[in-house]
Amino acid sequence: MRCDYYESDRCRSCTVIQTPYEVQLSAKDVRARAALGESGIAWEPPVASGESGFRNKAKMVAGGSVDAPKLGILTSGKEVQDLRECPLHEPAVAAALPVLAEFVTAARLVPYDVTTRRGELKYVLVTGSPEGELLVRFVLRSTESVPRIRKHLGWLTQTLPNLVVASVNLHPTHSALVEGQEELLLTEQELLPMRVGAVELALRPQGFFQTNTPMAATLYRLAAEWTAHLEYRTAWDLYSGVGGFAMHLARDGAMVTGIESSGEAVAAATASAERAGLSGVQFAAGDAGAFARHAQDVPDLVVVNPPRRGIGAELAACLESSGVGHVLYSSCHVDSLAQDVAAMPSLTPVRARVLDMFPHTGHFETLVLLER
């Protein structure tokens, strides 16, 4: 895939974009096999992504000026490179970015300058659903601009009729974090429906969802297929997010418990399960490791989908000593995955597959089934 931003040296985020896609995919598969080994593991062919138009979210740094705003990335020189025409974004997200730039001007939202530490608007965050509906968040330094955002919100929703959820995130401190703790909802609707296969998930403003929806759908489908033969009556979904794995693992006679640190994600997952009528699925806010350590009973199946750092030595040791029969591990960082698997020698990888969640980069998702 060609990209004008890359070729003109304005953005180098897609580090391997000039490598033919088939070569990219093969290299990721080779790397995963090298990290985990091949002996005794039924490796399935890697799952390819679309090469463009696959990102369902845009995390755009705000820059420029009120009358000439930029939405893009922060360069090494602390300036913002506009990326409104990035070819990676889904069509609905890409179409929204120029409209949101107009909104910055209309609502007089002063972009934040990281060098002077002045201004209000830090980021514009956009997420698109499979149906093309949008969740838009404005990350602000303070509430100073909120009245103007509310005043012009009618114009924005009229111009972007597929905008169904909008909010302001307050992030007063100067830090590398994208967002703060406090969220102000601007619309009556607070949940963005995210239909993935036969399951409708939901996303609240501060909830996490996989960046590549088609790959997420494949990931959840594989999780259901790989565990279909297991006779589990209890299952844990640790780092459960908005409930994708838990809801796909739901079955009659089984209780699936999802544990997630984000209260926003737990609320969204609970609402999704209730709408779907899944009485055998429950979610709770908490630390995955602490939950596993203090649990009274051992489940038949554990699913883990941790951040890049992996589950860590403490949770790995807990699962190793617990006696759980099967662990389904979804990882976005194969090195931490390999380290965690090595820390659970009684749980042997028997099935694995690479899913290219992040084309044109060195990152990818790896799904592994381990059994005792």
Side-chain angles (χ1 to χ4, degrees):
M1 187 187 77
R2 293 191 59 184
C3 174
D4 291 339
Y5 292 117
Y6 187 93
E7 292 179 2
S8 60
D9 204 28
R10 289 176 289 167
C11 175
R12 289 301 176 104
S13 299
C14 294
T15 54
V16 294
I17 195 170
Q18 292 187 315
T19 301
Y21 183 66
E22 295 78 9
V23 178
Q24 294 182 34
L25 190 62
S26 177
K28 293 178 180 184
D29 188 50
V30 168
R31 181 162 179 249
R33 290 171 184 248
L36 291 173
E38 297 194 53
S39 177
I41 304 177
W43 280 94
E44 299 183 8
V47 183
S49 169
E51 294 186 46
S52 63
F54 60 83
R55 279 191 65 95
N56 59 27
K57 64 183 68 174
K59 295 184 178 181
M60 311 300 277
V61 180
S65 65
V66 169
D67 294 312
K70 296 179 180 180
L71 298 177
I73 58 172
L74 194 65
T75 68
S76 58
K78 305 300 181 182
E79 295 183 355
V80 174
Q81 168 60 57
D82 192 276
L83 292 180
R84 276 177 276 176
E85 296 181 10
C86 174
L88 301 187
H89 296 132
E90 290 182 350
V93 174
L97 295 178
V99 177
L100 291 167
E102 289 185 51
F103 184 76
V104 170
T105 301
R108 312 307 291 173
L109 305 180
V110 180
Y112 182 71
D113 188 315
V114 297
T115 57
T116 64
R117 302 191 182 187
R118 295 179 179 178
E120 285 293 315
L121 180 64
K122 293 185 172 182
Y123 291 88
V124 176
L125 311 177
V126 187
T127 303
S129 76
E131 287 74 28
E133 294 182 320
L134 299 174
L135 183 159
V136 174
R137 304 169 65 204
F138 301 96
V139 181
L140 301 176
R141 191 180 178 192
S142 74
T143 58
E144 184 272 336
S145 304
V146 174
R148 296 195 301 279
I149 290 177
R150 292 187 184 277
K151 177 182 177 181
H152 293 275
L153 189 61
W155 173 87
L156 183 60
T157 54
Q158 184 177 14
T159 309
L160 284 178
N162 55 337
L163 171 58
V164 296
V165 183
S167 68
V168 163
N169 177 270
L170 296 178
H171 185 12
T173 60
H174 181 83
S175 72
L177 298 175
V178 174
E179 58 190 76
Q181 296 290 326
E182 187 176 357
E183 198 86 16
L184 306 176
L185 193 65
L186 300 173
T187 52
E188 290 186 11
Q189 185 168 328
E190 62 179 356
L191 294 173
L192 178 70
M194 301 288 290
R195 178 160 290 281
V196 181
V199 172
E200 183 175 280
L201 304 175
L203 186 64
R204 289 169 67 96
Q206 288 184 307
F208 168 79
F209 191 82
Q210 299 281 4
T211 300
N212 190 324
T213 304
M215 287 295 100
T218 302
L219 182 66
Y220 298 144
R221 176 178 58 78
L222 290 176
E225 290 178 358
W226 288 11
T227 57
H229 68 289
L230 303 180
E231 296 181 358
Y232 59 85
R233 297 188 62 81
T234 55
W236 295 347
D237 178 6
L238 305 182
Y239 313 93
S240 57
V242 295
F245 282 107
M247 292 181 63
H248 280 81
L249 294 176
R251 60 168 64 167
D252 291 339
M255 174 56 70
V256 183
T257 301
I259 302 298
E260 166 61 42
S261 61
S262 167
E264 292 285 315
V266 169
T270 300
S272 297
E274 290 176 351
R275 282 198 308 274
L278 297 176
S279 58
V281 179
Q282 61 184 3
F283 298 93
D287 177 78
F291 172 82
R293 289 194 306 274
H294 296 113
Q296 298 298 312
D297 301 313
V298 178
D300 302 312
L301 169 67
V302 173
V303 180
V304 292
N305 182 27
R308 286 180 58 80
R309 65 179 180 271
I311 64 174
E314 193 170 13
L315 180 52
C318 180
L319 295 178
E320 165 68 13
S321 63
S322 69
V324 62
H326 291 86
V327 173
L328 187 66
Y329 196 136
S330 180
S331 169
C332 62
H333 192 263
V334 74
D335 295 329
S336 62
L337 167 62
Q339 184 174 358
D340 290 336
V341 169
M344 300 183 289
S346 296
L347 289 158
T348 304
V350 294
R351 198 169 185 178
R353 194 169 194 178
V354 165
L355 297 94
D356 196 10
M357 195 78 71
F358 316 100
H360 315 305
T361 74
H363 305 296
F364 53 93
E365 196 82 10
T366 307
L367 185 66
V368 182
L369 179 64
L370 302 100
E371 70 178 20
R372 190 172 295 275

